[in-house]
Amino acid sequence: MIAMTKDNIVLNAEPSGKLQAIEQVGELLVRNGYIRPEYIDSMKRREEVANTYLGNGISIPHGLPENRDHILKTGVAILQVPGGVTWNPGEIVNLVVGIAAKSDEHIEILTNLTHVLDDENTVRRLTATDDPSDIVRALSGEAGATRRPGPELDVADFDHSVDVTVMNPHGLHARPATFFLDIAKLFDSTIVVEFDGRSGNGKSLASLLKLGVGSGRIIRIHAKGDDAMQALNALKDAVDAGLGEIEEEKETPKAAHGWTPSEVKRTIPGCTASPGLASGPIRQFTHRRIVVEAMAKDPEHELTELGHAVAAAKSNLRMLYNEVRSRSGEPQAAIFRAHEAFLEDPELLAETKSRIRGGNSAGYAWRQVIDDRVRAMEQHDDEVLAARAMDLRDVGRRVLRHLAGVLQDEPFTSSEPVILVAEDLTPSDTALLDPALILGFCTSGGGPTSHSAIIARSLDIPAIVAAGPAVLEIEDGTMAILDGDGGNLYLEPSPADIETAAEARKRIEAERDAEYRTRYEPALTLDGERVEVAANIGKASEAERAVEGGGEGVGLLRTEFLFLGRETPPDEDEQYRSYRAMIEALNGLPLIIRTLDIGGDKAVPYLDLPAEDNPFLGERGIRLCLNRPELFLTQLRAIYRASRHGPLRIMFPMIATLDELAAGKRLAEKARIEVGAEPVDIGIMVEVPSVAVMAREFAKEVAFFSVGTNDLTQYVMAMDRVHPTLAAQADSLHPAVLRMIDQVVRASDEAGIWTGVCGGLAGEPLGAVILAGLGVKELSMVIPSIAPVKARIRSITMAQAREIARQALACADNNQVRALKLP
Ligand code: PEP
Ligand code: MG
């Protein structure tokens, strides 16, 4: 029970407006020792995001939840304004009830207030009284204002009801109650909420507040009408989910840079794709629609037009390739070479020509053929194929522009730097983005492994993906802050937030520079334990970059990149030369070569892979290699030949059974004997849950484990790793995945072998610390993550890492793990 005294009340106030009224009631709260002065500012800011007008001449200003630290004790203060103050247009307030709520004790005051609210005569009396005791009595429940009547609404003939516990830390106060009634109003049924012998209309704020439901209390929701059951289910789910409050906390986890906004109009969560913070106006990225006629009279003319369009597109691509290569380097430009290859695809051209001969215009025929292909590719869920579908669409548009007589899409121009929003961005879109004009980008679709995400990371532009269609509705010019680490787009932030985000950005840049300067120092914890930090690479040229970036070797060479985008597989000599070049570039640092991880879902036409219903669960990785011993043996021979030139290990991907491992080892031994090489260590990727579960048995058969958290997560959670809507939940920091890794590390320790991690989790600062704490000896990651991860490991003791790993294993979900604080 809150003590109300005359000291809490000021009569006959004459504030000039709402803000001054809040200041005056705030000062009263300060004078009475309820709040620190800083809370007043928070009360003002609250008004920008919520309406605290309760009705009948009463308002209840209070601060933002995140500023509750400024509340010293729970209490209320009241400003009587007989002349009235305009709260919002049309809403005149005579009693300003400032609330400082540390816990839910203020609910009782709110309850009393709502009884007053119901009673116009009492409000009129309290507005005019010159005796503060009148107000004290009314709000303390004396003077008969606080009745506890029996149920006011008869629910005897209501057919359905449900009991549910209100878990909101401050009970059913104004905000959650508003959330409740917003849902109730979606249904036609009459909704009554019963609590503690009283009942209230579930569609009336005053009625709900009047019930005075505190935290942890059970309410009974009754419904009558055709959609009664649906209403009850929706309301129960909403109460269980925290009536908007708990959700809000979930949506704003602290990102690695420690910045969170204090006040924004709206938060759109997505998936982190490229780290960093950006603030600026939103700009929607739209393509111009290309219109083509369906039919044409002269097929010969159309065929000539097609030839010209393809040639012109090729020439555009070559220019693009040269431009991007000189600006960003060969790896970023290579995609345009691949696009050129599409234009040489004989089937694509033959199909288009056949449609033209059938009467279609060149543009229409081309579009149909491209659309069919894109659709077929999109049906496969594999990331490589999905990225290629995007590429094909991009190439398709490029040719179409020439056929439609439109030479170019409007080039993206802007007079000021913007945050770009798009459905998805094609490789041409992203590669031509000028980092000086693009502060960050956010896509509604795509996944963290999509092409645009990868380019964003290499250009160092903060980005989030899979944010859903809501982002496409944002108006151009809306101010926003994009948090690439936290994966959130914050709309209409306050000036203070823009300022703090800019400060955080400066801090991040300075930290990154400092980390980069120490990239060659080992990752030694403060208590002297070493974690090896290596690079994931896909081609020979990256080996040198890995060393430059501070890598202590290569923990994962994805050899499939040598096999993609060509007509025939690389032969033994070509592979040998590539592996040898990498070994030489590494100059004595170790190289782990993963044998081919390709499957029925990947675009390797020359392998004639059968179509799969579930490509990720089909013939991929080691399964494919064991079924194609010649392909496998060729690679193994090349690897063993290269092993003479420096330290090298072999790793099999996608192992699920001991039999597969035994068969793989047999073939490796055969290849080794054929080329007369010395034995090398053989290890396996831990990507399939069966291996994690049986890690003890596997540990006896291998020299090391390397956990592929990307695949392990999708298989443990049964969530596609590139799924646009599930990607955010398929989080490798889920305790289910971490417990699997823990099991693997324990088994490897028992057997005296080591466990590394080469999936994306190893490159996340929190992930790296937890993995080190679990006993993982080697972390392998994309090159730009090496310096920050090494620095992070150097900043903690192994004892601290173990403690955080212990806490992570005990968490209930990935959000709880992400909320853990790094020392
Ligand atoms: C993994 O699955 O975590 C992994 C490293 O392999 P890839 O991403 O190549 O499937
Ligand atoms: Mg994998």
Side-chain angles (χ1 to χ4, degrees):
M1 160 99 188
I2 299 173
M4 280 283 297
T5 70
K6 287 190 242 175
D7 294 341
N8 301 6
I9 297 167
V10 164
L11 296 180
N12 294 315
E14 290 180 342
S16 58
K18 171 171 156 177
L19 287 184
Q20 204 180 53
I22 294 173
E23 269 165 30
Q24 291 180 1
V25 82
E27 277 155 20
L28 200 52
L29 286 167
V30 173
R31 261 207 308 282
N32 285 292
Y34 297 125
I35 59 169
R36 295 200 184 94
E38 292 91 321
Y39 195 69
I40 300 178
D41 194 40
S42 179
M43 291 168 80
K44 288 189 201 159
R45 282 187 285 126
R46 174 101 199 197
E47 296 297 320
E48 290 166 23
V49 289
N51 182 6
T52 60
Y53 180 73
L54 207 55
N56 218 5
I58 301 177
S59 68
I60 50 165
H62 50 292
L64 293 160
E66 56 267 35
N67 299 128
R68 228 171 247 143
D69 288 356
H70 296 313
I71 299 174
L72 303 170
K73 61 180 183 190
T74 299
V76 297
I78 292 155
L79 206 64
Q80 184 210 45
V81 190
V85 51
T86 302
W87 212 251
N88 293 301
E91 292 169 352
I92 307 293
V93 167
N94 301 106
L95 292 173
V96 181
V97 185
I99 298 182
K102 218 171 167 50
S103 65
D104 63 359
E105 299 130 283
H106 72 295
I107 282 278
E108 186 157 356
I109 298 264
L110 269 180
T111 309
N112 293 343
L113 260 178
T114 49
H115 285 298
V116 172
L117 187 77
D118 269 359
D119 180 353
E120 261 184 54
N121 287 337
T122 311
V123 175
R124 218 171 296 131
R125 185 167 53 81
L126 298 182
T127 301
T129 185
D130 49 13
D131 179 3
S133 322
D134 275 349
I135 299 179
V136 171
R137 274 203 305 276
L139 296 191
S140 310
E142 298 167 26
T146 315
R147 304 172 309 273
R148 293 241 159 177
E152 296 143 15
L153 295 163
D154 188 5
V155 288
D157 62 338
F158 277 47
D159 314 323
H160 305 285
S161 67
V162 64
D163 285 357
V164 54
T165 308
V166 173
M167 290 312 294
N168 297 62
H170 302 277
L172 201 56
H173 64 92
R175 211 148 46 104
T178 309
F179 195 95
F180 184 101
L181 71 97
D182 281 347
I183 293 188
K185 282 178 183 168
L186 297 175
F187 299 92
D188 293 332
S189 291
T190 310
I191 313 279
V192 170
V193 177
E194 194 181 340
F195 172 68
D196 201 15
R198 285 164 287 135
S199 58
N201 179 350
K203 295 183 181 177
S204 148
L205 181 60
S207 225
L208 285 175
L209 292 179
K210 194 158 43 172
L211 296 174
V213 182
S215 181
R217 306 300 302 274
I218 296 174
I219 55 173
R220 176 163 298 174
I221 312 170
H222 301 267
K224 187 172 75 172
D226 288 345
D227 53 7
M229 282 313 290
Q230 289 98 306
L232 288 182
N233 286 339
L235 288 167
K236 181 179 180 331
D237 287 351
V239 177
D240 285 344
L243 292 170
E245 284 200 311
I246 295 165
E247 202 46 46
E248 202 171 84
E249 276 158 30
K250 256 195 213 159
E251 279 175 7
T252 52
K254 262 213 161 36
H257 43 65
W259 178 87
T260 46
S262 59
E263 195 190 333
V264 291
K265 278 261 162 61
R266 198 167 151 213
T267 302
I268 301 185
C271 232
T272 62
S274 178
L277 272 175
S279 43
I282 291 285
R283 167 79 183 271
Q284 296 284 346
F285 182 90
T286 39
H287 282 294
R288 266 209 285 173
R289 215 173 104 69
I290 298 175
V291 181
V292 286
E293 294 290 328
M295 307 306 279
K297 288 203 182 77
D298 181 357
E300 283 313 312
H301 173 75
E302 295 302 303
L303 288 171
T304 313
E305 287 293 295
L306 177 70
H308 288 158
V310 170
K314 275 189 184 169
S315 132
N316 288 160
L317 282 165
R318 228 155 300 149
M319 275 161 53
L320 207 50
Y321 169 79
N322 289 331
E323 190 179 332
V324 175
R325 193 178 56 166
S326 63
R327 218 175 65 189
S328 310
E330 170 68 29
Q332 275 71 42
I335 187 71
F336 301 108
R337 279 254 186 265
H339 280 196
E340 233 187 295
F342 273 124
L343 294 180
E344 275 147 21
D345 180 333
E347 269 181 44
L348 202 70
L349 292 171
E351 259 183 65
T352 312
K353 286 178 186 168
S354 126
R355 281 174 183 263
I356 292 176
R357 290 197 188 94
N360 281 150
S361 75
Y364 189 83
W366 175 257
R367 178 140 77 193
Q368 294 301 107
V369 172
I370 295 286
D371 283 356
D372 286 354
R373 286 264 189 118
V374 166
R375 257 196 304 277
M377 284 162 109
E378 279 175 345
Q379 271 166 14
H380 293 282
D381 287 336
D382 175 72
E383 64 182 288
V384 174
L385 207 59
R388 301 223 89 187
M390 187 73 176
D391 290 348
L392 184 58
R393 196 184 294 123
D394 194 10
V395 175
R397 285 183 63 84
R398 188 173 295 285
V399 173
L400 210 52
R401 282 197 293 263
H402 293 290
L403 288 171
V406 180
L407 282 183
Q408 279 289 323
D409 271 345
E410 292 288 354
F412 175 77
T413 51
S414 178
S415 53
E416 56 172 355
V418 290
I419 293 176
L420 206 62
V421 172
E423 213 172 322
D424 206 349
L425 291 168
T426 66
S428 336
D429 299 332
T430 25
L432 284 184
L433 297 181
D434 179 355
L437 283 180
I438 310 301
L439 300 162
F441 73 76
C442 169
T443 60
S444 64
T449 49
S450 64
H451 195 95
S452 24
I454 291 163
I455 294 227
R457 279 196 285 274
S458 74
L459 289 177
D460 214 7
I461 297 176
I464 61 177
V465 294
V471 292
L472 302 175
E473 307 290 319
I474 307 169
E475 291 218 358
D476 276 357
T478 306
M479 272 306 289
I481 297 179
L482 185 144
D483 178 3
D485 300 68
N488 285 313
L489 183 67
Y490 299 107
L491 300 183
E492 298 183 55
S494 66
D497 281 329
I498 293 176
E499 205 179 307
T500 54
E503 283 161 12
R505 209 166 38 241
K506 275 199 205 123
R507 223 174 34 240
I508 298 168
E509 276 161 20
E511 276 166 17
R512 279 206 199 157
D513 287 350
E515 286 163 0
Y516 194 70
R517 282 197 295 276
T518 57
R519 67 194 182 282
Y520 296 125
E521 291 175 19
L524 272 182
T525 59
L526 293 171
D527 45 0
E529 289 204 42
R530 178 158 188 184
V531 181
E532 262 179 57
V533 180
N536 293 352
I537 65 170
K539 45 181 148 342
S541 58
E542 285 175 341
E544 203 173 318
R545 281 187 47 224
V547 181
E548 273 167 29
E552 297 165 343
V554 167
L556 168 65
L557 163 62
R558 289 181 166 105
T559 55
E560 51 276 13
F561 283 100
L562 303 175
F563 288 71
L564 293 175
R566 46 189 297 154
E567 309 278 296
T568 52
D571 65 15
E572 185 183 315
D573 271 348
E574 187 183 339
Q575 290 191 54
Y576 161 71
R577 282 195 302 275
S578 295
Y579 303 145
R580 182 178 168 174
M582 294 183 211
I583 291 174
E584 285 168 353
L586 287 172
N587 203 14
L589 296 172
L591 166 68
I592 298 182
I593 301 187
R594 178 175 78 180
T595 57
L596 197 54
D597 182 12
I598 218 152
D601 55 318
K602 296 208 175 149
V604 189
Y606 56 82
L607 288 183
D608 262 341
L609 302 170
E612 301 259 17
D613 282 346
N614 286 307
F616 279 124
L617 305 179
E619 196 185 314
R620 77 172 272 209
I622 194 79
R623 299 172 191 171
L624 173 95
C625 287
L626 294 177
N627 287 339
R628 312 234 176 171
E630 253 329 298
L631 180 76
F632 197 26
L633 280 167
T634 305
Q635 180 174 44
L636 289 166
R637 276 194 298 269
I639 296 174
Y640 274 111
R641 279 172 60 193
S643 72
R644 296 200 191 97
H645 301 280
L648 169 162
R649 298 182 180 115
I650 294 175
M651 176 158 75
F652 297 143
M654 285 298 297
I655 290 276
T657 68
L658 286 161
D659 281 350
E660 287 168 348
L661 172 58
K665 281 167 67 176
R666 267 197 306 276
L667 285 173
E669 188 58 7
K670 182 173 182 326
R672 184 184 76 78
I673 292 168
E674 278 172 13
V675 303
E678 292 295 314
V680 300
D681 279 355
I682 294 183
I684 55 170
M685 297 276 294
V686 180
E687 305 178 277
V688 182
S690 61
V691 176
V693 171
M694 298 203 38
R696 275 190 169 176
E697 285 74 8
F698 280 95
K700 291 181 194 140
E701 305 297 330
V702 294
F704 64 92
F705 288 138
S706 185
V707 184
T709 49
N710 307 336
D711 276 315
L712 184 62
T713 305
Q714 74 164 342
Y715 295 132
V716 168
M717 308 299 293
M719 287 173 186
D720 193 329
R721 67 192 254 189
V722 294
H723 194 285
T725 53
L726 295 176
Q729 290 175 70
D731 185 348
S732 301
L733 277 177
H734 196 287
V737 180
L738 298 177
R739 288 185 202 180
M740 285 258 166
I741 300 173
D742 182 47
Q743 210 170 321
V744 172
V745 174
R746 283 167 196 262
S748 67
D749 285 351
E750 269 176 36
I753 63 166
W754 58 271
T755 294
V757 171
C758 61
L761 186 61
E764 277 193 46
L766 177 61
V769 170
I770 291 176
L771 291 171
L774 287 175
V776 168
K777 299 288 183 289
E778 178 236 40
L779 300 169
S780 194
M781 61 203 68
V782 291
I783 298 167
S785 298
I786 293 174
V789 163
K790 279 179 140 185
R792 169 49 76 190
I793 300 281
R794 284 195 292 264
S795 73
I796 50 153
T797 63
M798 190 50 90
Q800 286 169 325
R802 286 195 193 105
E803 173 54 23
I804 201 156
R806 192 191 59 73
Q807 290 173 16
L809 291 177
C811 285
D813 61 27
N814 52 323
N815 292 318
Q816 284 187 10
V817 176
R818 289 200 176 273
L820 291 175
K821 298 229 171 1
L822 283 175

